[in-house]
Amino acid sequence: MRVAIIGTGYVGLVTGACLAHLGHTIVCVDSNPARVAAIESGECPIHEDGLPQLLKDGLRRGLLRATSDLESAIDSCEISMLCVGTPSADDGSADLGPLLAAARQVGEALRGRKDFHVVAVKSTVVPGTTDTLVRETIEHNSGRRVGDTLGLAMNPEFLSQGSAIRDFMEADRVIIGAADLRGQRALEDLYDAFDCPILTTSLRNAEMIKYGANALQATLISFANQIAGICEHAPGTDEAVIMTGLHLDRNLTARDGAPCGATKFLRGGIGFGGSCFPKDLEAFRHFARGIGAPTEMLDAVIATNRRRPADIAGLLDRLLGGLNGARIAVLGLAFKPGTDDLRCSPGITLAAELLARGAEVRCHDPLPAALAQASDVLAQRNLTDITLSDRLDQVLADADGAVIATAWPYYRDVDWRRAALTMAAPVILDGRDLLRGLPPQAGLVIQPIGIAAPANRPSHIATNGETIR
Ligand code: UDX
C-alpha cells in the first residue's frame, strides 16, 4: 500500500522504514528540510539499532523517500499516518499543537481529491482526541466526512527504543481503532503480513490501550523501585534476590523456565525516563483527573519514580559519609542503553540531585551522539556546573564515588580494578545492577542498588558476600 508518514521522529521513521521493508511504498514527510535531506541521502538521524540499514534498503529499492511537501506526498497515498510528537504542556497534558497542525495540513491536501483516504493517528493521545479534535480538524479542512470518502483510525505504537525494529517486525499485537469499516479494512490490509493478534476496536479504546500499556509497565518498575527503596533501609535484604524470588512465580516464569515479559520491568534501578513513560503517565493522569476519575495508582507510580534519584543520592550519601564537596562521576546519560535519547534522562536528574547536595559532578556517556546533546540539555536546565567528558578515565580520576546510571554494556566491560586505582575512593554505586556477578575485586567497593549502605563510611564493605579491601 502507499502510505504517507507525517513526522519523521523516532516513531515515524521506524514505522516508515519497517513498512517499506515489508514492501509498502512510503513517503516520509517532515517540515524540517535538514531532516528530509538527511533521510534522502541515506543518513539516519537517530541512533537506533538496525534502522540505518532499513532506511538505505528502502531508498535503494525505491520504496521509501522523504519530502517536506505534504500535499504532493499525500497525493500519491491511500493512508496518512500522523506520527508527530505530543510533548508535555506545562500542566502535564499532551500538547496537541503539532498533531492538529498536521491534521489540518492533511485535511487541506485532501480537499479537491475524490479518492478514499484513511488518516491514522499513531501519536499517543488521550481517549477522545482522534474522535473529536482530529476528526473535526480533518473534516473541516478537507470538506469530507468520515465514513464517506474519509477513513479515520487510531493505531498506537508499542516500540521500545533500542529494540524498535524488532518490536515492530515481531509485534506482540496490532491495535486498530477505527471510526469506519473501510478505514479499518485499509489498516488490516496494511498489517496483513503480521503474524500476531490484531485487535480491532473503537478509536477511544485504541487510545486508552496505549496509555494502559505504558502505565502497566511503569507500575511494575515503580513497584520494584519501591521494594528497592525499602531494602536500602533494611540491612540484610537484597532487592535483586527478592525480585528473582518474585519472578519465579508461575505467573511470571513458566515451568520450563521461560520468563514472561513482565519480569523485564520488575527490577529496581534509578527510575524510568525516556520519551514515553514520564510524559504519557502525566498526560494519562491529567486526563483522568480532568474527567473526575480516580488516579491513586498513577499518583503512586509517578511519585515513586520522582523520588528515586533522591533515594539513590541518599544511598550514596550514607555510603560515602556525606556528599558535600564529594567528586562524583555519573556514568550514563542516555535514558537507556541503545539510544542517544536524553529525554527525561535519569542520569541527568541524578546528576542534578547530587549537585544540589553539594557534590562536584562529572558525567560520562560512551555514545558520542548522547554526549553531544548533553551540554545543551544541561544548559537548558541551568546545570552548567556539571562537567561532561567522553573519557571515562578523566571522569573517574580522583573521584570519591561513581554511579552507573545507564546499563550500557560498555560499563560492564571496564577494568574496574584498574579504574579504581585512579579514584580517591573506589566506590561504585551500581544504579542498574549491571556489575552483579563480576568477581569481587580487591580495593573496589561495588554497592548495588536495593541493598542498605552501612551507616558510616566503611573501611571495607561486603560485596557479593565477599569482604574486600
Ligand atoms: C517504553 C515501552 O517499553 C514501550 O512499549 C512503549 O511503546 C514506549 O515506552 P522505551 O521508553 O523505549 O519504551 O523504553 P523501556 O525499555 O520500556 O524503558 C523505559 C525506562 O524505564 C528507561 O529509563 C529504563 O531504564 C527504565 N526501566 C526499564 C527501569 O528503570 N527498570 C526496568 O526494569 C525497565
Side-chain angles (χ1 to χ4, degrees):
M1 298 183 83
R2 300 180 308 269
V3 184
I5 301 284
I6 319 296
T8 64
Y10 143 78
V11 171
L13 214 50
V14 170
T15 303
C18 288
L19 288 175
H21 181 73
L22 292 168
H24 297 296
T25 304
I26 306 299
V27 192
C28 292
V29 184
D30 204 292
S31 53
N32 178 350
R35 201 156 179 105
V36 167
I39 298 168
E40 280 282 275
S41 65
E43 236 177 77
C44 185
I46 55 173
H47 183 90
E48 181 63 45
D49 200 22
L51 185 56
Q53 197 52 48
L54 278 196
L55 279 182
K56 283 202 186 86
D57 287 352
L59 290 164
R60 186 180 43 78
R61 293 164 68 202
L63 291 175
L64 187 136
R65 67 183 178 89
T67 178
S68 294
D69 183 354
L70 184 138
E71 191 172 346
S72 75
I74 289 198
D75 202 32
S76 60
C77 292
E78 304 147 84
I79 299 176
S80 294
M81 279 195 162
L82 305 184
C83 299
V84 295
T86 49
S88 276
D90 289 343
D91 61 1
S93 65
D95 175 4
L96 295 178
L99 179 69
L100 296 181
R104 180 177 49 75
Q105 289 171 48
V106 170
E108 285 167 356
L110 289 175
R111 190 175 276 277
R113 272 178 53 189
K114 299 259 173 301
D115 55 329
F116 182 73
H117 191 91
V118 186
V119 180
V121 174
K122 225 179 208 326
S123 308
T124 301
V125 289
V126 297
T129 308
T130 307
D131 206 15
T132 57
L133 295 174
V134 174
R135 179 188 201 128
E136 285 156 18
T137 306
I138 298 170
E139 286 189 337
H140 175 74
N141 286 285
S142 66
R144 301 180 182 207
R145 288 275 159 269
V146 170
D148 187 7
T149 53
L150 181 65
L152 185 62
M154 203 281 149
N155 172 221
E157 52 81 22
F158 299 97
L159 308 175
S160 182
Q161 286 176 249
S163 60
I165 304 297
R166 197 199 59 207
D167 292 344
F168 191 99
M169 293 302 195
E170 298 167 29
D172 308 326
R173 75 293 220 192
V174 170
I175 306 291
I176 300 173
D180 61 301
L181 198 56
R182 234 174 132 185
Q184 177 188 314
R185 295 259 156 80
L187 268 282
E188 284 171 345
D189 288 348
L190 185 69
Y191 290 106
D192 189 42
F194 279 60
D195 180 24
C196 69
I198 295 187
L199 175 66
T200 52
T201 183
S202 66
L203 296 172
R204 289 173 193 232
N205 278 340
E207 290 164 327
M208 183 87 94
I209 285 168
K210 168 67 184 176
Y211 278 105
N214 277 358
L216 173 61
Q217 294 175 347
T219 301
L220 297 176
I221 296 171
S222 276
F223 171 79
N225 280 333
Q226 181 96 91
I227 300 282
I230 296 171
C231 288
E232 284 155 12
H233 290 277
T237 61
D238 180 341
E239 178 269 345
V241 178
I242 290 154
M243 283 304 138
T244 303
L246 298 196
H247 292 175
L248 291 172
D249 182 322
R250 76 181 65 190
N251 295 303
L252 296 173
T253 299
R255 281 283 164 90
D256 64 5
C260 87
T263 58
K264 178 186 158 203
F265 297 97
L266 274 172
R267 292 175 198 285
I270 73 169
F272 56 75
S275 62
C276 291
F277 289 161
K279 167 176 84 75
D280 291 353
L281 261 80
E282 286 288 354
F284 196 30
R285 175 165 72 168
H286 186 270
F287 164 75
R289 283 181 176 169
I291 55 173
T295 61
E296 295 89 340
M297 284 286 292
L298 297 177
D299 294 340
V301 171
I302 292 168
T304 303
N305 198 58
R306 282 235 180 98
R307 62 169 293 142
R308 200 60 189 136
D311 285 350
I312 298 294
L315 182 60
L316 193 60
D317 191 322
R318 296 195 291 286
L319 190 68
L320 298 179
L323 283 174
N324 199 13
R327 289 161 301 222
I328 307 296
V330 172
L331 310 182
L333 298 178
F335 87 91
K336 65 186 267 192
T339 177
D340 58 352
D341 200 331
L342 299 186
R343 283 176 286 181
C344 295
S345 154
I348 290 179
T349 310
L350 177 67
E353 177 72 28
L354 295 168
L355 189 71
R357 289 176 181 233
E360 182 202 297
V361 186
R362 312 103 172 248
C363 296
H364 171 267
D365 195 284
L367 189 67
L371 209 55
Q373 298 171 49
S375 50
D376 288 345
V377 175
L378 292 180
Q380 279 158 17
R381 292 183 56 178
N382 279 331
L383 295 171
T384 43
D385 285 345
I386 294 173
T387 56
L388 297 168
S389 174
D390 61 351
R391 295 264 309 271
L392 185 63
D393 56 346
Q394 283 179 354
V395 170
L396 291 177
D398 293 326
D400 296 302
V403 187
I404 297 179
T406 308
W408 283 114
Y410 171 88
Y411 293 129
R412 205 180 151 81
D413 297 337
V414 167
D415 181 346
W416 284 109
R417 193 186 55 77
R418 284 189 57 186
L421 295 175
T422 70
M423 295 174 73
V427 176
I428 315 291
L429 201 164
D430 185 2
R432 295 293 179 186
D433 215 10
L434 189 69
L435 306 184
R436 190 175 288 254
L438 287 191
Q441 317 255 2
L444 176 65
V445 174
I446 297 176
Q447 162 82 33
I449 45 96
I451 292 184
N456 299 309
R457 184 175 177 157
S459 57
H460 66 274
I461 291 182
T463 304
N464 295 344
E466 299 279 333
T467 301
I468 57 174
R469 223 202 235 232

